[in-house]
Amino acid sequence: MTRLAALLLTLVLAAPAVAEPSYRATGDLGLIVERASGSLLVIDQSERAAIGRIEGLGDLSHASLVYSPDEHFAFVFGRDGALTKVDILSREIAGRVIQAGNSIGGAISDDGRLVAVANYEPGGVRVFDADTLEMVADIPTGSKTIGLVDIPGRRFVFSLWDAGETWIADLSSEEPRITRIAGIGKNPYDALVTGDGRTYIAGLFGEDGLTALDLWDDQPAPRRILPEYGRGQEDLPVYKMPHLEGWALAGDQFVLPAVGQHEVLWVDAGTLDEAGRTRTHGQPVFAMARPGGRHVWVNFAPPFNDTLQVIDTRTHAVIHQMTPGPAVLHMEFTARGTEVWVSVRDANRVDIYDTATFEKLGEIAAQSPSGIFFTARAHRMGL
Amino acid sequence: MLRLLLVLTLAAGPAAADGLTADHARRLEHLVVQDCGSCHGLTRKGGLGSPLTAEALAHFEPEGIAMVILDGVPGTAMPPWRPLLSDEEALWIAEYLLKDDDK
């Protein structure tokens, strides 16, 4: 009853706004993580501009975020263990919990009801109600936990850095049900799931190769991919861990960053056999297929992190190279792949490029920008 | 606290003597915050890498820390920074880590 009254009051209060529409849709909005200042820049894709800033989010180094299904809220996973829910329309913090000492990333369930966070300290996954941020499940793993993704059926998949295992947590009923899969390999550092929720690929830091799981199997068995990609070559020092995300599928092949090598690796998506390698400018951090899969854009670890390369997915040849500026950290494509937005951390700038002509279309000032996240991610599995 | 002050005093000596330019020091500080921060956290409270707060490092000598920076820790994700940093720069960073505890 009080709720109804509150609703009526809201309607009354909102009434004057009807005369002069002030509503805004969220489909072309996004957020840029400003990692040093603990803030988020709200961006408008169509205007190619920043339209606001949300502050007070703590340590955002390596921060990532996911969106609610209605693209109204973002859930931000901070390095300091904070889970913050932000309202991207009012540009306010809608809720915040310090849920662990040190966390690395998170995911939202397919139905949008649950938000899961992967933690380093204490190692494990904690699951929260997306409305209230109350904890609904605590899944200790005894290991730094990485590569957390959502899959259909209110389930989450994640991997254990120390233990070399992948766990599937099913939260469709009251008590979480855990499926443990051993033998993933030494020190999985990140993982991805394909857009269909079927193939989970964990990258390994402690040995060459990656491990794939077919999540359509009841008890998925680890299958090693590219077990010898670095053989005969000495590993280079890794100044930045590569990232694996749901951008790896380009047509009928996966494109994956090699660890400790100046290469991206191509894998046949059907057979999981090697389909080629491309020599790159530096050690790849992100290898991201443009939506549609025609090209792959690659950025690099220090000291080569001022450069981007574009690779043709049919020929595996580098077709374009550019130097946006110091510390190119992240790229984000518009939903249909027409533009790519690039954070140039040490220039305090986000550049916008046309993906067909490679022409620079604009730039936005941002403080030490890292991750860029458009709301279209709300509707993609594994993002 | 007394111990920390002592470390601070001891660490401050050689750093001042080394005489890196202010601009050089700023660049190194930026590297610590941003690139070390990727693994150890912007506030250095740890991540994939261990915490690097002055408190966490208090029982190490700056020379020992500089060695770890230059040679890395084999078998872990800590890479050798020798290809990118000089001995002098690594020592500057070690001393910076030991004295800078108010973040």
Side-chain angles (χ1 to χ4, degrees):
Chain A
M1 197 57 210
T2 14
R3 261 175 96 167
L4 185 66
L7 183 69
L8 285 171
L9 188 66
T10 312
L11 285 173
V12 172
L13 290 172
V18 176
E20 193 184 327
S22 62
Y23 52 80
R24 182 190 266 279
T26 55
D28 66 350
L29 298 187
L31 293 167
I32 297 173
V33 172
E34 296 183 306
R35 53 188 256 145
S37 48
S39 51
L40 298 168
L41 204 56
V42 185
I43 45 175
D44 184 307
Q45 209 180 94
S46 319
E47 293 176 20
R48 294 188 187 130
I51 57 169
R53 181 174 271 129
I54 305 168
E55 292 176 316
L57 283 93
D59 183 350
L60 292 185
S61 70
H62 213 292
S64 64
L65 57 88
V66 296
Y67 287 104
S68 62
D70 60 4
E71 300 181 357
H72 184 171
F73 297 99
F75 299 89
V76 185
F77 311 105
R79 175 46 83 57
D80 54 4
L83 167 62
T84 311
K85 179 177 180 176
V86 299
D87 181 328
I88 58 176
L89 286 173
S90 71
R91 296 167 210 162
E92 285 166 350
I93 290 175
R96 181 169 161 89
V97 287
I98 304 293
Q99 55 85 39
N102 197 303
S103 64
I104 189 60
I108 187 163
S109 61
D110 56 353
D111 60 2
R113 302 285 182 182
L114 302 174
V115 175
V117 193
N119 293 318
Y120 281 161
E121 188 54 52
V125 169
R126 287 180 170 156
V127 185
F128 298 83
D129 183 295
D131 285 332
T132 63
L133 297 191
E134 267 172 57
M135 186 157 79
V136 298
D138 185 12
I139 308 168
T141 59
S143 167
K144 287 175 181 166
T145 304
I146 55 92
L148 171 64
V149 300
D150 60 290
I151 59 169
R154 260 198 184 187
R155 291 181 299 160
F156 296 103
V157 189
F158 46 90
S159 297
L160 281 51
W161 163 266
D162 307 282
E165 294 182 9
T166 294
W167 292 15
I168 303 170
D170 182 336
L171 288 125
S172 58
S173 50
E174 192 83 353
E175 200 55 31
R177 282 174 309 204
I178 309 291
T179 304
R180 292 174 65 156
I181 302 153
I184 296 299
K186 192 172 175 209
N187 292 145
Y189 66 86
D190 197 7
L192 66 91
V193 69
T194 48
D196 56 10
R198 177 169 187 178
T199 308
Y200 182 82
I201 299 177
L204 303 176
F205 182 79
E207 56 187 289
D208 289 340
L210 304 96
T211 300
L213 296 172
D214 184 345
L215 299 173
W216 287 4
D217 289 339
D218 290 334
Q219 182 65 41
R223 166 130 184 238
R224 198 57 56 88
I225 311 176
L226 301 170
E228 299 180 344
Y229 73 71
R231 176 158 289 190
Q233 303 168 60
E234 196 173 335
D235 277 356
L236 302 164
V238 177
Y239 296 115
K240 184 156 177 60
M241 288 278 186
H243 284 253
L244 299 175
E245 257 195 273
W247 310 104
L249 191 63
D252 54 4
Q253 54 193 336
F254 290 112
V255 57
L256 300 163
V259 181
Q261 306 291 339
H262 289 199
E263 278 181 341
V264 298
L265 311 164
W266 302 87
V267 174
D268 183 300
T271 63
L272 298 183
D273 292 328
E274 179 174 336
R277 299 174 189 199
T278 300
R279 179 90 189 154
T280 51
H281 177 70
Q283 292 182 45
V285 175
F286 283 99
M288 300 174 68
R290 190 178 104 190
R294 184 69 188 87
H295 294 151
V296 168
W297 288 59
V298 187
N299 72 329
F300 304 100
F304 302 106
N305 60 354
D306 61 348
T307 299
L308 282 175
Q309 286 185 317
V310 183
I311 306 174
D312 185 298
T313 52
R314 283 198 296 201
T315 63
H316 297 176
V318 174
I319 56 162
H320 189 74
Q321 178 166 333
M322 60 172 92
T323 311
V328 173
L329 288 199
H330 196 258
M331 298 167 278
E332 177 86 337
F333 292 98
T334 53
R336 298 198 186 189
T338 51
E339 295 174 7
V340 63
W341 291 40
V342 175
S343 53
V344 191
R345 186 193 65 202
D346 292 351
N348 293 310
R349 208 177 70 217
V350 169
D351 288 355
I352 304 166
Y353 294 96
D354 184 309
T355 53
T357 63
F358 309 121
E359 197 184 322
K360 187 165 163 181
L361 301 172
E363 62 178 56
I364 294 173
Q367 300 162 12
S368 289
S370 62
I372 307 171
F373 303 85
F374 287 133
T375 51
R377 286 172 173 249
H379 313 295
R380 284 203 41 183
M381 223 181 296
L383 294 180
Chain B
M1 191 61 206
L2 193 67
R3 190 169 158 202
L4 188 69
L5 275 173
L6 193 66
V7 171
L8 205 143
T9 314
L10 289 172
D18 280 349
L20 293 185
T21 65
D23 184 52
H24 195 166
R26 258 198 307 278
R27 273 184 287 128
L28 288 180
E29 184 173 14
H30 184 75
L31 178 128
V32 172
V33 173
Q34 298 293 354
D35 294 318
C36 304
S38 297
C39 280
H40 299 278
L42 283 183
T43 50
R44 302 205 294 278
K45 287 180 183 154
L48 193 59
S50 54
L52 296 183
T53 53
E55 192 188 359
L57 297 175
H59 54 289
F60 292 104
E61 296 297 322
E63 289 76 14
I65 296 170
M67 196 100 76
V68 170
I69 294 169
L70 290 168
D71 295 331
V73 183
T76 73
M78 176 66 185
W81 288 82
R82 200 179 288 282
L84 304 183
L85 293 173
S86 69
D87 290 11
E88 189 192 20
E89 289 173 322
L91 191 61
W92 187 93
I93 290 171
E95 284 162 353
Y96 174 83
L97 292 175
L98 283 169
K99 71 185 172 199
D100 196 71
D101 198 31
D102 52 2
K103 291 202 171 179

